[in-house]
């Protein structure tokens, strides 16, 4: 076995470096569009791929693109904790784009090997071409991330075919047509002429344009779906507001009746005391206290709309046998839209009240309070519940939407007796 020359060693070293750079771009793009931290596991992924590349070089194995994609999906789900339905669209984009880069590279390397006699000069040209192609790969990923990041963050279900199926067809066509995963790759390119190579180059360019148009189409469809989903959520929210207004009118009528009858209640108490029937008087006072507590208003929050909302929700919970502890305060310099606060607190309390309805009467409790850390508002909600699977319905979706709008986070935890949800919002500064 002859010793490898300088050009072969240089090309081999460059190939390892190039592969590591490509793996970095893949993970960086995937984590960027899904808002997942991936730096901690990046060396693990690059190291694994470098070992895989070394095994292929020394054993003469052909490139296995589809195995690489499968491993990348498993790595994303198991290590990066990205749900598969959020990882699919970014992986389809990186996989399809890398197939184009491989196709261009194969055509260019074929041309260089056929038209350069010096190995050193040929190696330099190959490295230069790979640098150029990697720059194109980086630029397109950056462009896609900047323009379509919002659409790519949306979990794909029925919209998946718009991107997955056409891209899958293009990948199969390019990889099988150019034999990129075959041991016969070099022999195949030796049989094609220069005119065919140029035609392949132009076809790849046209396919890439179609690919970028599909990403645009995918983005438009997803954005339209998000708008429709927002309209549906707004419709549900308006229905909830109608129910809330009915509850408010009912409560106001009860409050008016209580005020109207207060003189009569005082007369009854006075008579019971004169007759020295203290036991009945104490029982009567207890009944009045329960009614007055159900009509009591929570402490002011600093937001008039939120005061009204909490007043009704707390009252409704207490009328359903729930002990409600509410300590909500919005600082004066925290400027949140009234609609956002209403959606957030209404859904938190509605979900808590619904969960408490399955708990025995004496054990029903809800705690909701706020605290601040710098420019962040922390909302803590805890309630009694019957342990079981947590279904993410419209209410929790609304909470997530408001949280995302304010660059916040949401954490959910539960025990055998209590369900807790913590929301952190970044407060915008006022004008």
């Amino acid at each position: 076995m002859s010793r490898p020359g300088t050009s072969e060693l240089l090309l081999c070293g460059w190939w390892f470096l190039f592969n590591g750079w490509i793996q970095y771009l893949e993970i960086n793009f995937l984590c960027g569009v899904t808002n997942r931290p991936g730096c901690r596991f990046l060396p693990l992924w690059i190291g694994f791929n470098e070992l895989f590349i070394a095994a292929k070089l020394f054993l003469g194995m052909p490139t296995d693109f589809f195995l690489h994609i499968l491993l990348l999906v498993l790595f994303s789900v198991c290590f990066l904790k990205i749900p598969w339905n959020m990882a699919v669209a970014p992986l389809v984009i990186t996989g399809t784009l890398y197939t184009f880069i491989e196709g261009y590279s194969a055509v260019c390397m074929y041309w260089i090997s056929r038209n350069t006699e010096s190995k050193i000069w040929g190696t330099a040209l190959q490295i230069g071409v790979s640098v150029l192609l990697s720059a194109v790969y980086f630029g397109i990923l950056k462009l896609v991330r900047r323009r379509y990041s919002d659409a790519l963050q949306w979990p794909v279900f029925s919209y998946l075919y718009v991107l997955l199926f056409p891209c899958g067809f293009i990948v199969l066509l390019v990889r099988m047509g150019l034999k990129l995963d075959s041991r016969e790759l070099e022999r195949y390119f030796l049989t094609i002429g220069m005119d065919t190579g140029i035609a392949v180059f132009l076809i790849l360019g046209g396919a890439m344009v179609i690919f970028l148009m599909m990403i645009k189409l995918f983005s438009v469809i997803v954005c339209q779906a998000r708008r429709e989903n927002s309209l549906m959520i707004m419709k549900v929210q308006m229905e909830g507001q109608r129910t809330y207004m009915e509850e408010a009118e009912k409560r106001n009528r009860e409050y008016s009746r209580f005020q109207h009858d207060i003189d009569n209640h005082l007369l009854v108490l006075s008579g019971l005391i004169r007759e020295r029937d203290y036991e009945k008087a104490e029982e009567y006072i207890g009944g009045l206290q329960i009614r007055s507590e159900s009509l009591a208003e929570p402490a002011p929050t600093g937001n008039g709309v939120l005061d009204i909302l909490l007043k009704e929700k707390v009252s409704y919970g207490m009328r359903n046998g729930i002990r409600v502890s509410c300590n909500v305060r919005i600082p004066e310099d925290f400027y949140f839209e009234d609609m956002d606060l209403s959606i957030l607190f209404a859904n938190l309390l509605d979900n808590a009240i619904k969960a408490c309805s399955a708990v025995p009467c004496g054990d029903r409790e809800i705690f909701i309070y706020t605290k601040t850390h710098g420019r962040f508002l922390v909302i803590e909600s805890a309630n009694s519940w019957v342990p079981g699977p947590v279904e993410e319905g419209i209410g929790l979706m609304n909470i997530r939407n408001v949280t995302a709008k304010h660059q916040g986070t949401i954490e959910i935890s539960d025990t055998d007796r209590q369900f807790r949800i913590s929301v952190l919002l970044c407060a915008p500064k006022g004008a």
Side-chain angles (χ1 to χ4, degrees):
M1 180 182 295
S2 59
R3 294 181 60 185
T6 303
S7 59
E8 286 82 1
L9 289 175
L10 181 62
L11 192 59
C12 184
W14 168 252
W15 175 242
F16 278 104
L17 184 62
F18 175 78
N19 179 72
W21 170 244
I22 293 297
Q23 304 310 316
Y24 166 77
L25 291 180
E26 283 183 343
I27 299 298
N28 181 65
F29 178 76
L30 177 62
C31 294
V33 298
T34 57
N35 288 326
R36 292 295 196 281
C39 296
R40 184 173 55 169
F41 297 104
L42 185 57
L44 175 65
W45 175 250
I46 293 178
F48 171 78
N49 275 275
E50 295 291 12
L51 290 175
F52 195 60
I53 290 294
K56 288 195 295 183
L57 287 176
F58 287 111
L59 298 177
M61 297 167 52
T63 303
D64 198 334
F65 171 80
F66 297 101
L67 175 60
H68 171 76
I69 293 296
L70 176 61
L71 292 175
L72 187 54
V73 171
L74 294 176
F75 180 79
S76 303
V77 173
C78 298
F79 288 90
L80 302 180
K81 304 301 180 183
I82 302 174
W84 73 269
N85 58 321
M86 291 186 66
V88 168
L91 291 179
V92 168
I93 289 173
T94 56
T96 306
L97 186 56
Y98 183 67
T99 293
F100 287 131
I101 298 302
E102 263 196 296
Y104 280 124
S105 178
V107 174
C108 291
M109 299 311 169
Y110 150 76
W111 185 88
I112 291 172
S113 64
R114 292 284 295 269
N115 293 275
T116 55
E117 298 180 358
S118 170
K119 288 188 175 181
I120 297 295
W121 178 240
T123 300
L125 280 177
Q126 289 177 340
I127 291 176
V129 168
S130 60
V131 168
L132 178 61
L133 291 176
S134 67
V136 171
Y137 185 62
F138 169 75
I140 295 178
L141 288 181
K142 186 175 181 180
L143 176 68
V144 170
R145 179 176 171 180
R146 185 175 68 248
R147 290 190 176 181
Y148 309 118
S149 183
D150 288 342
L152 294 175
Q153 289 176 12
W154 187 258
V156 289
F157 292 103
S158 57
Y159 322 113
L160 183 60
Y161 72 94
V162 177
L163 189 64
L164 181 58
F165 292 164
C167 288
F169 176 75
I170 290 175
V171 168
L172 287 174
L173 189 64
V174 172
R175 303 198 75 85
M176 294 178 65
L178 298 181
K179 301 186 184 296
L180 295 178
D181 300 307
S182 172
R183 294 178 183 272
E184 301 176 356
L185 175 63
E186 294 184 9
R187 189 189 312 166
Y188 170 74
F189 271 96
L190 288 175
T191 61
I192 66 176
M194 180 60 65
D195 292 340
T196 305
I198 294 174
V200 169
F201 205 87
L202 294 176
I203 291 172
L204 285 174
M208 182 174 286
V209 171
I210 295 173
F211 165 69
L212 294 175
M213 292 175 62
M214 283 193 301
I215 296 177
K216 175 67 176 178
L217 176 63
F218 176 81
S219 176
V220 170
I221 291 176
V222 171
C223 289
Q224 180 64 30
R226 292 181 71 172
R227 282 193 291 270
E228 292 177 358
N229 184 71
S230 297
L231 289 175
M232 180 189 69
I233 291 174
M234 185 64 68
K235 183 179 179 180
V236 172
Q237 197 66 38
M238 293 299 294
E239 182 66 23
Q241 291 298 320
R242 186 183 66 81
T243 304
Y244 154 71
M245 292 301 297
E246 291 174 356
E247 288 290 332
E249 291 177 2
K250 180 179 177 182
R251 185 179 181 279
N252 287 336
R253 287 194 298 269
E254 291 180 359
Y255 187 74
S256 297
R257 285 198 298 268
F258 183 82
Q259 281 187 318
H260 182 267
D261 294 339
I262 191 67
D263 290 337
N264 295 328
H265 294 313
L266 291 175
L267 287 173
V268 171
L269 283 173
S270 178
L272 291 173
I273 291 173
R274 280 197 306 270
E275 294 176 4
R276 299 181 184 276
D277 194 347
Y278 301 120
E279 185 176 346
K280 283 189 176 181
E282 186 177 355
E283 182 180 344
Y284 198 86
I285 291 173
L288 287 177
Q289 185 177 7
I290 292 174
R291 285 198 64 188
S292 65
E293 286 179 352
S294 68
L295 296 171
E297 298 183 12
T301 65
N303 181 283
V305 173
L306 191 56
D307 287 344
I308 297 173
L309 174 69
L310 292 179
K311 173 182 174 182
E312 303 308 324
K313 296 296 182 183
V314 169
S315 174
Y316 179 79
M318 294 176 68
R319 289 200 302 272
N320 284 272
I322 303 172
R323 294 188 296 274
V324 182
S325 177
C326 180
N327 184 13
V328 174
R329 180 70 185 170
I330 310 298
E332 293 182 359
D333 59 338
F334 279 28
Y335 297 90
F336 294 105
E337 293 181 12
D338 292 341
M339 180 62 74
D340 290 341
L341 291 176
S342 298
I343 290 174
L344 193 58
F345 281 92
N347 284 289
L348 284 172
L349 286 168
D350 285 344
N351 289 349
I353 292 171
K354 182 178 179 181
C356 283
S357 64
V359 177
C361 286
D363 299 327
R364 297 177 179 177
E365 289 183 316
I366 293 176
F367 304 91
I368 185 165
Y369 61 92
T370 60
K371 56 186 177 181
T372 58
H373 291 290
R375 294 300 304 175
F376 293 96
L377 177 70
V378 181
I379 304 167
E380 296 279 354
S381 173
N383 58 269
S384 308
W385 80 315
V386 176
V390 179
E391 297 183 1
E392 186 160 336
I394 296 296
L396 191 53
M397 187 184 299
N398 287 343
I399 295 170
R400 291 191 184 279
N401 287 340
V402 173
T403 303
K405 177 180 177 180
H406 293 280
Q407 296 84 47
T409 60
I410 179 172
E411 292 184 3
I412 297 175
S413 60
D414 60 82
T415 63
D416 290 340
R417 298 187 59 186
Q418 190 178 80
F419 179 87
R420 179 179 294 273
I421 180 168
S422 302
V423 177
L424 182 144
L425 305 177
C426 179
K429 295 182 180 181

